[in-house]
Amino acid sequence: MSEVGTPVVVASPGGADGADAAALDGPVRFDLRFEPADRKVRVPPHVMLFDAASWNGIAIDSTCGGHGTCRKCKVQVLEGTAPITTLDTRAFSTDELHAGWRLACRVEVVTDLRIDVPPLMTRPKAATVGVGRKVILRPAVQKRYVELSEPSLSDQMTDLERLLASLDDLELRAELAVLRRLGRVLRESDYKVTAVVVDDVLIDVEAGDTTERLFGVAFDLGTTTVVATLLDLSTGTPVGVASMLNKQQPFGADVITRISAIMMRPDSLGELTRLAHEALDELVSDVCAAGGVQRDEIYEVAVAGNATMTHIVLGLDPEPLGVAPFIMATKLWPEVLANDVGVRVHPRARAVVFPSLGAYVGGDILAGLLASGMDRDPRMRLFIDIGTNCEIVLGNSERLMATAAPAGPAFEGAAIRCGMRAAPGAIEVVRLTPESLELGVIGDEEPQGLCGSGLVDVVAELVSLKLIDPSGRFVTDKEASSLAPGLAARLTNLGKERIFVVHWRGVEGDVTDAIYLSQRDVRELQFAKAAIATGWSILLEDAGVKVDEVQQVLLAGSFGSYLSPASAVRLGLVPKLPTLRILSAGNVAGEGAKMALLSLRERAGAMALMEEVEYVELSDRSDFNDRFVDQLAFPD
Amino acid sequence: MSEVGTPVVVASPGGADGADAAALDGPVRFDLRFEPADRKVRVPPHVMLFDAASWNGIAIDSTCGGHGTCRKCKVQVLEGTAPITTLDTRAFSTDELHAGWRLACRVEVVTDLRIDVPPLMTRPKAATVGVGRKVILRPAVQKRYVELSEPSLSDQMTDLERLLASLDDLELRAELAVLRRLGRVLRESDYKVTAVVVDDVLIDVEAGDTTERLFGVAFDLGTTTVVATLLDLSTGTPVGVASMLNKQQPFGADVITRISAIMMRPDSLGELTRLAHEALDELVSDVCAAGGVQRDEIYEVAVAGNATMTHIVLGLDPEPLGVAPFIMATKLWPEVLANDVGVRVHPRARAVVFPSLGAYVGGDILAGLLASGMDRDPRMRLFIDIGTNCEIVLGNSERLMATAAPAGPAFEGAAIRCGMRAAPGAIEVVRLTPESLELGVIGDEEPQGLCGSGLVDVVAELVSLKLIDPSGRFVTDKEASSLAPGLAARLTNLGKERIFVVHWRGVEGDVTDAIYLSQRDVRELQFAKAAIATGWSILLEDAGVKVDEVQQVLLAGSFGSYLSPASAVRLGLVPKLPTLRILSAGNVAGEGAKMALLSLRERAGAMALMEEVEYVELSDRSDFNDRFVDQLAFPD
């Protein structure tokens, strides 16, 4: 079983050199030094010590997951201040309290701390997800098998009290629908049942011991593609992956055309919502079949999508997102059921819907940041999700800044004369020498057109050969003949426009049937590239970070995964850095969604990002146009 | 508009003499003395001062209703200890804190206190409900009209943030369904909207100012009769009342026969639930028509019923309630929507469902206790709800004890030869002298039979005239002729059984068509009476309270309202007390349901009763049978 979006390169935290920290004047952070591992992490104020450890892969004993009920997360604070809470007084003797013993889940970090973490009594399960993130398993969904004593005249506890008394490390509320089943299930199973809990809600009781059947589905709800991963939440293992094109395509390729469709015909909203639901639900069928899982064994789903996709899948009119002043209905979503996003799994399954930082920095980006661990990593990194809209995040564990740049549809293959999606037949790689041309075609088929990565490649190669000058203009035939004799015949005219033929589909020399790059295509790419480069250059300047201080560039999104780092540097799409520092991060949105299912703490970390990321609005910057024009040219 | 169950006599708190308090050794209580009113109340530990004042009709300024956000409930603690909270430090200067100023909603009562309450800046609305209870209006439902500024590029707050920012004294969460409407309503109404809030949930936004339209429905869901009262929650006024027979009657007259029906045919549960829903929903139609109110202007409903009726209306199998060991699904109910009890009002309206203290001390009794204010009143009182099952509560503000006694169906007119319900044609009053007989008939119609109060009356009068001896036997004809010459002809035989003819329907002397009381009927009544008297006599003994220390007997339920106090005393159905101390409390369950709608504080008070009332189980008392036999006789 292969996993969608397995990261190409693993980024391991550590190795902070302090230079970046000094360059950024974000909010205050505190140093936590964990002994005996001698691991140092920096965290914002008021984080709970238990969470900080968990986020950084440092396992502290716990069965309640940090609710203050199991009293197992005992640590010794060796240096720094950690006030004693009521729970501490119940868990420790006075001597122990004086010696600095505390429950980690109750310690709010308000100073630097040095902490000794006792060896684990129980080994926590962990999974590697996202960009090399080690996640300690603590799903919101949990199952508990209990054998209860039967009621009698001398023990008239109610059914619910009886069950909850056996789960007294949890503070649960039960739903009415569970109460309707409870009496029958208890009596039919001789009071041997499995409680199904999501967060603090008892969502079901099942007869007998079903603890090993515990699943969730993570969705990456893209404008173009929708991906579902079925996860075994008891092991962290993916047991089924499926994807399909977003069924909303007939309403337009990008979010703006889909919003326009709703503005034209308001009842399109219902149709678009229905299509989103249908897509998610069909993928559930696929992954269930692949994993041998019943639908009602899925107790939670997670959805990461941009703001428009998220509004639509929840049945909200996205129109205010599409027109100035670009207003979202809400940032954080209320409690949502899987049923609310059209997914027929367990009837009371929850849906975790990633919130959006802004109308154009959506839940997919938040999920991507979670997966890339940018907020936990001391290295200065640049995250770029390239698409019709390009989202850019710069920063490290000290400070994070985000912006959105309108790149236009060039990378999706739209607005490009011979452009096409990254589908079989698409030219995705182009290598040129003055004498030769070599193509990489998806599916090794007869070429049908240029997809985004092929477009970037061919322009980058032509710029390298100087067949396109830094201003973006094709050179004359004469110059071409001298610079690249073997390619000169491909630089020709179609009507009044200069073109470069990438592939003669029919007779060589017959441009009518050729796959080519036109002068206008180059201009489209220049505009897209300029928008993106303006975005990251403004972020770098605002953060006071120099280009060579950027230690890693993460290219996110399906397009980013296929882009040649060398070509991206050549065109100035990314800062001029050694290509080894430029990584395809894969489907980080989907990875973030998986992390949210696997760990309550990671989920909380994603929510914390809502506060931590500073949004930089480009549209009202007076220097935007100047910078944009500067960035239109290709680097010399 | 007349109100169902308006209390006959108003019971005013105050006048504690301490004797009862001394007699009871319940949990500790603290004295609160409110100045300048010089009102003293006693409360359990850990009650919030604001609540204690509110429950006792002492108004303290507040707009947030005790959530700690409006900072208006300023009081000065003159004596006693009230720790300073974080909120106090924000609301008061250091000098003020030293002078004892506190926010009443943050003061947890842990000592005796003397408190000065400043005069009100705003006059709170109040309504008189229940047994003379003055309730300060603070419904869970509230509406707020706001005019918002429109968004712009420099103010990109989300729709929800924008609305919530204007309601910043409330900490609200919004439901997904509201978010689906929010954008459209805001834009169509030029950002002038009314927020509809239930507890901490935003359940709707309405265009324009609709603050004056705010309604709730209180249901008394009886086994026999269902009553609905439509309340204007902004004024506390009832605007419509309607009642009907419980539509479940075809499945049996009492809860046990209905439970049996479900045990015989499990699919009867669905049918019984449907019939309960139908009844409630039809009553909503009636009260809406009476009050000129639209269904979607009803944002909350309250339901008080016994445990079986409550289980059934919520779709839960009541079978475990009907067989030993008599187990409820739960005591407290989870969040329930009006829709869950089949009531089609506002689609997101809540339902407050009264919890049950036990399988046979149900939510109707809890509501009745709330309405009677037994937990707030220093007088020793006895609350008796007479029906097929009889619930008895003894106590005062110091301690409350409850029990349930199986009285059987005699009072409902069932198992009585000429018995009938309290409907037109029922003999409800009987007055006898040795020479005469006088009847009161419901509707002044030709008598059809004896209802419960008529049954009690005729037996009581016959006992008084000694035509029935203390053991319950009819005297001989001879004795009758000497004791009551004018009635002797009525004491005759039907077959082998002695009977007393209450009304000759046809020819005088022709017993075949007469309405009569049989020897067996007297026995039925004796059994019922003995069960009840055993119940209250055990409670009195357990509490160490003498009969003449009981200052008031409240007869609850529709039957209790019609019962003659003199007859009840004569038969020993209630303790031997001056009849002025015996009051019909009316439909207290319905009144309690109204109070829960009108006041969050009263609702919390009802929940507190769940902890405060001690349940005394009669069925496992070794002395029960002895006492029962003792109580079979009528008092001399």
Side-chain angles (χ1 to χ4, degrees), chain A residues 424-464:
Chain A
I427 299 167
E428 59 168 350
V429 177
V430 181
R431 293 284 165 264
L432 303 181
T433 69
E435 299 299 333
S436 69
L437 178 146
E438 195 186 331
L439 301 182
V441 181
I442 299 177
D444 283 329
E445 295 187 6
E446 172 66 17
Q448 305 291 325
L450 277 168
C451 69
S453 60
L455 172 71
V456 170
D457 259 16
V458 66
V459 175
E461 294 284 87
L462 290 170
V463 168
S464 291

Side-chain angles (χ1 to χ4, degrees), chain B residues 90-162:
Chain B
R90 292 190 208 145
F92 300 106
S93 69
T94 313
D95 284 351
E96 287 172 324
L97 291 170
H98 276 126
W101 284 96
R102 299 287 185 276
L103 294 176
C105 73
R106 299 290 113 173
V107 176
E108 200 178 327
V109 176
V110 289
T111 69
D112 292 344
L113 294 176
R114 190 161 70 85
I115 314 103
D116 188 65
V117 179
L120 293 183
M121 307 290 286
T122 50
R123 182 142 203 87
K125 289 177 183 164
T128 300
V129 217
V131 185
R133 301 288 312 283
K134 193 181 173 208
V135 172
I136 296 172
L137 291 194
R138 175 56 177 95
V141 185
Q142 51 178 318
K143 280 191 169 184
R144 296 282 189 88
Y145 174 65
V146 291
E147 301 188 354
L148 308 174
S149 58
E150 296 196 17
S152 65
L153 274 172
S154 60
D155 169 14
Q156 291 181 318
M157 255 200 282
T158 67
D159 288 344
L160 184 61
E161 282 174 308
R162 186 172 305 277

Side-chain angles (χ1 to χ4, degrees), chain A residues 151-153 156-160 174 176 179-180 187 314-316 320 325 327-331 333-334 340 617, chain B residues 151-153 156-160 174 176 179-180 187 314-316 320 325-331 333-334 340 617:
Chain A
S152 66
L153 273 173
Q156 290 181 319
M157 255 201 282
T158 66
D159 288 343
L160 184 61
L176 181 59
L179 287 172
R180 287 180 176 147
R187 287 165 184 82
L314 290 172
L316 276 79
I327 303 301
M328 296 194 288
T330 182
K331 279 183 173 169
W333 295 104
D340 292 323
E617 176 66 55
Chain B
S152 65
L153 274 172
Q156 291 181 318
M157 255 200 282
T158 67
D159 288 344
L160 184 61
L176 182 60
L179 287 172
R180 286 179 176 148
R187 286 164 184 82
L314 291 172
L316 277 80
F326 314 112
I327 303 300
M328 296 194 288
T330 182
K331 280 184 172 169
W333 295 103
D340 291 323
E617 178 66 56

Side-chain angles (χ1 to χ4, degrees), chain A residues 251-307:
Chain A
F251 287 83
D254 54 53
V255 296
I256 293 299
T257 51
R258 292 190 204 162
I259 293 174
S260 302
I262 293 169
M263 289 166 73
M264 300 295 178
R265 258 197 33 223
D267 56 350
S268 305
L269 172 59
E271 180 66 6
L272 283 161
T273 300
R274 194 182 60 71
L275 289 169
H277 290 186
E278 243 180 54
L280 299 183
D281 201 52
E282 280 181 26
L283 289 174
V284 169
S285 293
D286 295 347
V287 293
C288 279
V293 169
Q294 301 298 313
R295 280 176 172 264
D296 62 1
E297 294 175 321
I298 296 169
Y299 303 96
E300 193 168 52
V301 303
V303 181
N306 62 48

Side-chain angles (χ1 to χ4, degrees), chain B residues 256-297:
Chain B
I256 293 299
T257 51
R258 293 191 203 162
I259 293 173
S260 303
I262 293 169
M263 289 166 72
M264 300 296 177
R265 259 200 28 227
D267 57 350
S268 305
L269 172 59
E271 179 67 5
L272 283 161
T273 300
R274 195 183 59 72
L275 289 169
H277 290 185
E278 244 180 53
L280 299 183
D281 202 53
E282 280 181 27
L283 290 174
V284 169
S285 293
D286 294 347
V287 293
C288 279
V293 169
Q294 300 299 314
R295 279 174 173 264
D296 62 2
E297 294 175 322

